Amino acid sequence: MSAVGTKRLGIIGDPVEHSISPAMQQPALDELGLPIRYERWHTPLAELPARIDSLRSNDVLGANVTVPHKQAVIELIDEVSPLAQAAGAVNTIVNRDGRLFGDNTDVYGFRLSLTGTIADASTRNAVILGAGGASRAVVLALHEIGVPKLTIVNRRPERAEQLIAELGSTAVVAAEPGDVLADAGILINATSLGWHRGELPLAADLLDRLPAGALVVDLTYRDTDLIEAARERGIATLDGLGMLVFQGVLAFERFTGQWPSLDVMWSAARAARAPRV
Ligand code: NDP
């Protein structure tokens, strides 16, 4: 039960214990004096339909959705934005008087994080490692930015081919990252390799093939072996915290109709992310 007048938001996933979203959203809600509580809603797959149904309650404003449910929720809600439809993933659900509207704010999150870091992203070729859900958001964002050439490298190349076909993308697939780095102004790790020490999505010495002035991006939201290897070579880097913060900023606006303080969300996210051990 919530206090009278208090509304609720939450993050749906399995697991959700380590999610930064509550730590980032709650201070921003409080700063605006909004009587809204942001909760963790751990939801195994078998409980997903009931959880989604519970969002129709009039004390719930909506939810963020994380791994592994971003695709599965599409079938359970009433309406999906064209962008979320294209991405094949919903990470934000808004309760509109009992009807559930799904959106994707990861695309915006990645786009803002990248364009806030380098002004000339639209003139650089990009290479993406990975072809999962995060890669889809990155591909859509890079098309929005207008990068001239996009190459995807994935462990299972057929998954990259499928992604390109489903998104109607002009990206191409390469078998080996080493073959395509020489003209890559942006290299993005969108694989799940990076969270743990010893995980590298490509051999570190391949980074020497990148052109001068390249940017190495890792969607993991803290330092990774890839980020460290790039830094050691004097290559500019960007981790995934900015994407996480900006997707949260847009989700906040979708839920409340107000923009949060970027400073509050940034500093809360920085404080909440797990240190590298
Ligand atoms: P998915 O499970 O959808 O995709 C995983 C990708 O990693 C696939 O391309 C997969 O290849 C590849 N992969 C996994 N294991 C290996 C391996 N051992 N060797 C080579 N490739 C491997 O995950 P997501 O796309 O949802 O997430 C990817 C990363 O992005 C995660 O680290 C996640 O935390 C991060 N992320 C960050 C966000 C942010 O806001 N910063 C937002 C969303 C995600 P294959 O297809 O061959 O299996």
Side-chain angles (χ1 to χ4, degrees):
M1 284 290 286
S2 57
V4 176
T6 300
K7 302 280 188 185
R8 294 185 301 143
L9 287 165
I11 172 98
I12 294 172
D14 182 16
V16 288
E17 290 72 22
H18 304 296
S19 169
I20 289 180
S21 291
M24 179 171 79
Q25 298 279 354
Q26 191 65 58
L29 293 163
D30 295 345
E31 199 245 351
L32 288 174
L34 298 171
I36 301 168
R37 206 171 60 235
Y38 194 103
E39 302 175 342
R40 279 177 212 278
W41 293 333
H42 175 234
T43 308
L45 184 59
E47 294 167 24
L48 191 61
R51 174 70 73 192
I52 296 301
D53 211 35
S54 74
L55 303 181
R56 300 179 195 279
S57 165
N58 64 9
D59 71 330
V60 175
L61 292 177
N64 287 122
V65 183
T66 187
V67 179
H69 300 321
K70 288 184 188 182
Q71 287 84 30
V73 296
I74 291 177
E75 299 303 316
L76 302 171
I77 59 182
D78 303 306
E79 197 183 338
V80 173
S81 75
L83 187 62
Q85 195 76 57
V90 161
N91 76 332
T92 301
I93 299 174
V94 182
N95 177 14
R96 293 177 172 169
D97 298 324
R99 277 182 62 77
L100 300 180
F101 174 78
D103 207 350
N104 184 306
T105 68
D106 282 336
V107 178
Y108 171 91
F110 181 75
R111 182 164 58 79
L112 254 73
S113 169
L114 185 65
T115 55
T117 303
I118 47 170
D120 63 347
S122 66
T123 65
R124 298 189 184 203
N125 295 332
V127 171
I128 305 172
L129 310 175
S135 175
R136 282 174 180 257
V138 169
V139 169
L140 288 171
L142 291 173
H143 282 319
E144 282 181 0
I145 291 167
V147 297
K149 185 176 156 205
L150 198 52
T151 306
I152 305 178
V153 182
N154 196 46
R155 176 176 57 180
R156 289 180 287 158
E158 66 277 13
R159 205 169 167 210
E161 299 282 7
Q162 188 187 349
L163 179 158
I164 288 169
E166 286 178 13
L167 297 189
S169 165
T170 54
V172 295
V173 178
E176 294 296 332
D179 298 341
V180 290
L181 294 181
D183 70 346
I186 311 169
L187 170 67
I188 301 141
N189 176 29
T191 74
S192 31
L193 295 177
W195 192 257
H196 305 288
R197 282 200 189 277
E199 289 182 355
L200 265 174
L202 80 177
D205 56 8
L206 290 179
L207 296 176
D208 297 330
R209 300 191 187 186
L210 288 168
L215 176 74
V216 170
V217 184
D218 198 320
L219 299 193
T220 311
Y221 44 79
R222 66 180 186 193
D223 275 0
T224 61
D225 282 7
L226 179 67
I227 294 261
E228 286 177 358
R231 210 181 275 141
E232 278 163 17
R233 289 165 168 79
I235 301 170
T237 62
L238 173 69
D239 70 32
L241 196 67
M243 178 178 179
L244 187 78
V245 169
F246 284 114
Q247 67 74 29
V249 164
L250 185 60
F252 185 109
E253 192 279 336
R254 295 284 190 265
F255 295 140
T256 67
Q258 298 186 54
W259 290 99
S261 157
L262 192 53
D263 283 349
V264 167
M265 287 184 81
W266 255 116
S267 50
R270 269 200 206 95
R273 79 171 146 185
R276 201 152 197 242
V277 287

